[in-house]
Amino acid sequence: MREQRRTRVAIVGGGPAGLTAAKALAGTEDVLVIEREAEAGGIPRHSNHWGYGVRDLRTVTTGPAYARRLAEGADEAGAELMTSAMVTGWDGRTLEVTSPNGLVSVEADAVVLATGARERPRTARRIPGDRPAGVYTTGELQNHVHVYGHSVGTRAVVVGSELVSWSAVMTLRHAGARTVLMTSARSEADTYAAVGLAGRVAFGVPVATRTTVERVIGKGRVTGVEVLDHATGRSRMVACDSVVFTADWIPDHELAVKLGLNLQPGSLAPLVDTALRTQAPGVFAAGNLLHPVDTADNAALDGRRVAASVRRWLSGARNLADGVPVHAAEPLTWIAPGLVRPGDPAPVGGRLVAWTSEYVRFPTVVAVQDGREIGRVRTPWPAAPGRIFRIPFSLLAGLDPSGSAVEVRLAS
Amino acid sequence: MSPNQPAAAPADVFDVAVVGAGVVGSAVARELSGYRLRVALVDARHDVGDVTSKANTAILHTGFDAKPGSLEARLVHDGYLLLTDYAESVGIPVERTGALLVAWNAEQHESLPGLRDKAEANGYHETFLIDADAVYEREPHLGPGALGGLVVPGESIICPWTTTLAYATEAKARGVELLLGRTVTGADVGADATTLQTSAGPIRARWVVNAAGLGSDHLDRAFGHDRFTITPRRGELFVFDKLTRPLVSEVLLPVPSAKGKGVLISPTIYGNVMLGPTAEDLTDRTDTSTSAEGFAQLLDKGRTILPELLAQEVTATYAGLRAATEHSDYVVDVDPAQRYLCLGGIRSTGLTSSMALAQHAADLLGGAGLDLVPVPDAELPEPPRMPYIGESGVRPFADPERIASDPAYGEIVCFCERVTRGEIRDALASAIPPTDRGGLARRTRATNGRCQGFYCGAHVDDLLNGGKGHA
């Protein structure tokens, strides 16, 4: 009763990375994109604001329009888009898929994981209190407002102050809800370094820095949160009828974990090399599954890279040199790709991507291998919490391919 | 005509009103619906099993460690067998994982043989002692320091939500009237009938069964008694991500102490791993909030038992209130003059004992003068077949025949828990439909997964509200 089918390339996830990879591979390869939502496009489908498509499509458009364009591009190039279809299990080669058309076992010569990332919900952040309605992540909030037109209350507290947090504020405003408070665990300087003052000025939203939500209160629907000001040690109640837990990303790595792929400790993303290969032969990964989270256009650029790597794999390239692991050290919490092999291309965009827990206005990045400094670069841009920090790959120009793991940190 | 149309009683008087539609009250209503009685099942909530019964540790106990000779010991022992059979017949998810009591210090280690003897005294003969090496062979992820263990092969995990729903669904099919959203505020015992005052008008019944859980002492006082006080004992729990499930193969029980069973780690019937519960006596009977202190305590205890678990992702946290009393046993007593049966102080073992307790309740009522005329089997409707929401069996998303017969079973709405639109539709059209997201989650698992609604929350709410679709 389970239909069997074969494809050259199976791409799991029809967001920016998966659709871009599909478009690049279709035409010469037979490509199947498996998307569990009813429509392809990924997160941009419900991010109803401008700013999409800058780096990959050389244009500026809205999230939903961008999502449609990517899906049409893959379709027109000849990729098959299977929607409302979810991969529920696999062995690295054969994917078990459930869809309204039945169960299908898809055997693929190459598999690209492009399953994206999501925000940790309140429970995963281990925040105690009641369990009322009206507690959202940005993802759920935007689905309610932009896809279903649901109302989401009138007084909101937004937890977090990263780019996505401001996106949540915009969505709330669109839905007629006022953001009465944004909380940021970071200092004032770090908070505004991440997104600038623009948000506060444009929206008139009060931001409480060095402040965390300690408890959620309400029976039925949320009636308030208890916030703790770490500077004064004082707690206070803030009345609200919705709470949005933003950012705190985790990759959707279920399939990667089930196959036993190695994970990057800081991000929990599958470990890949600069060609976006995982350790499993013929299994690749791309997009925000690898770097939770970068902007959609950068995820899409991964899609082009992974397409080239898949092509090489399909043409029979097999012998890989051993790679050198690249680890992040404080204040960097993760770095990707985490493996550099001699002979491989430079990472996408010629840069490594990393995440920092501290704001550094003029960072100097240092690479150390076998106790020796092998590279040092200064970036003209800051390392800021809550957004990707890009590191020129020239940092690793002096890497010894036979040496041990490289540690990348910021000079103090 | 329903098999339970009353022969003599006036239309507005029930033969029996069961107050409390938790696992105990629902089991009692189901049991009584096998007799020619007009039965009402009354609850303050708008759903069955929506208070204590939804938030327990979901273990089907053998009763190996109950107090020998107690009513609880007998009913847990019998209830285990009855519910195991019933679960099979109506499709309540059960997994016989077994349990391992782990001794972490000399005192606990020395008490294990006594626990084995206690199990024997309780009529349970399958336990056996193992040494430390065997403990780690069974559970290689256990933290260091285990000295030995006692294996209880029969301990099982069960879906508490489906259990209550199955009882109530079958009771309803057999003619029981489900009166939800009615808070009982008082009781006037008359010559022939008792009038229960409720938030939505009076309910008259000849007999009243008190299965009111956390409110059972208040109702008992309304009947003029003063024999127990409920102290809500809060238990907080962590549910870890399904990716942690390989860390543990059976229920890991602590060696019991005076304050209950202590903190355990258990696989859940839904494929997660659970850590809990704490035990904290409260005064507020509605406070099911979790606390920073509770979390800290759980993590501290969990660190000893299964250190690898703690760094893993938490999917859900919740707290339940056990209806603890000052008595060591259930408070079960029938008052023939008042035509009143009290089922008080039914602790977390009530899930296991529910069917035996229901039979016991019927016996007591019969002995006190309630006329019990069995409805012939031929007149009773078939037992319900409950939707399967466990993890170990085949659910619709993995069932090609189901999907071929109806494509809605191939349309996964809740990705994390693999819940299909067909299952959500069925739950909404069921005999006891959910009234909110929590109710739908207890019937289907929708939104219970690791993303907690990031992907499907809005879609699920849309389906709950009649499926108006995209804006």
Side-chain angles (χ1 to χ4, degrees), chain B residues 291-356:
Chain B
S291 67
E293 300 73 27
F295 284 2
Q297 212 184 93
L298 285 179
L299 295 176
D300 187 46
K301 296 269 174 60
R303 197 166 288 120
T304 311
I305 309 170
L306 206 63
E308 284 171 71
L309 185 63
L310 296 204
Q312 303 297 315
E313 298 291 320
V314 170
T315 291
T317 60
Y318 63 92
L321 297 176
R322 290 96 110 187
T325 70
E326 62 274 42
H327 303 286
S328 65
D329 204 353
Y330 296 167
V331 182
V332 173
D333 194 25
V334 69
D335 182 335
Q338 291 187 309
R339 302 173 310 279
Y340 166 65
L341 171 64
C342 176
L343 306 175
I346 314 295
R347 289 178 289 263
S348 60
T349 53
L351 170 60
T352 302
S353 66
S354 50
M355 292 188 86

Side-chain angles (χ1 to χ4, degrees), chain A residues 276-303:
Chain A
L276 307 184
R277 304 176 195 98
T278 71
Q279 92 232 32
V283 177
F284 301 79
N288 279 335
L289 169 65
L290 298 177
H291 36 70
V293 297
D294 204 341
T295 53
D297 51 0
N298 281 308
L301 294 180
D302 272 4

Side-chain angles (χ1 to χ4, degrees), chain B residues 78-166:
Chain B
D78 295 353
Y80 173 87
L81 301 172
L82 290 168
L83 183 48
T84 298
D85 285 350
Y86 186 68
E88 175 80 35
S89 74
V90 301
I92 298 166
V94 173
E95 269 184 71
R96 195 180 148 109
T97 56
L100 173 64
L101 277 85
V102 183
W104 296 98
N105 59 40
E107 189 192 338
Q108 291 177 355
H109 198 201
E110 282 156 19
S111 74
L112 291 180
L115 283 165
R116 183 196 48 197
D117 298 345
K118 197 176 187 183
E120 296 288 332
N122 280 321
Y124 184 72
H125 307 293
E126 293 178 29
T127 66
F128 56 94
L129 294 164
I130 57 174
D131 64 15
D133 287 348
V135 166
Y136 286 103
E137 203 169 303
R138 292 174 75 94
E139 300 295 337
H141 298 280
L142 274 186
L147 302 177
L150 178 72
V151 178
V152 191
E155 293 283 287
S156 304
I157 55 177
I158 185 169
C159 177
W161 305 326
T162 307
T163 304
T164 306
L165 275 165

Side-chain angles (χ1 to χ4, degrees), chain A residues 1 36-37 39 43 84 86 88 98-103 115 117-124 126-131 137 139-140 143-144 147-150 219 250 252-254 257-258 268, chain B residues 240 243 286-287 289-292 295 299 310 312-318 397-401 403-404 407 410-412 415 418 437 450-455 457-459 461-462 469-471:
Chain A
M1 283 303 288
R36 58 193 189 177
E37 297 277 2
E39 281 171 34
I43 295 291
S84 298
M86 179 170 172
T88 60
T98 292
S99 87
N101 298 323
L103 301 185
T115 48
R118 59 183 171 81
E119 297 160 299
R120 279 191 179 82
R122 170 260 180 118
T123 48
R126 306 183 181 185
I127 295 172
D130 296 319
R131 301 206 301 160
T137 47
E140 184 178 352
N143 263 309
H144 276 296
V147 181
Y148 289 95
H150 295 160
K219 307 250 188 259
I250 179 165
D252 244 311
H253 58 201
E254 179 183 335
V257 173
K258 281 194 168 162
L268 303 178
Chain B
F240 285 88
L243 296 172
T286 65
D287 187 2
S289 65
T290 51
S291 67
F295 284 2
L299 295 176
L310 296 204
Q312 303 297 315
E313 298 291 320
V314 170
T315 291
T317 60
Y318 63 92
F397 82 88
D399 183 343
E401 281 77 25
I403 300 171
E411 195 181 328
I412 299 178
F415 304 134
R418 324 279 203 241
R437 207 199 262 190
R450 58 173 68 95
C451 93
Q452 294 281 299
F454 179 95
Y455 294 111
H459 191 181
D461 281 359
D462 178 62
H470 292 196

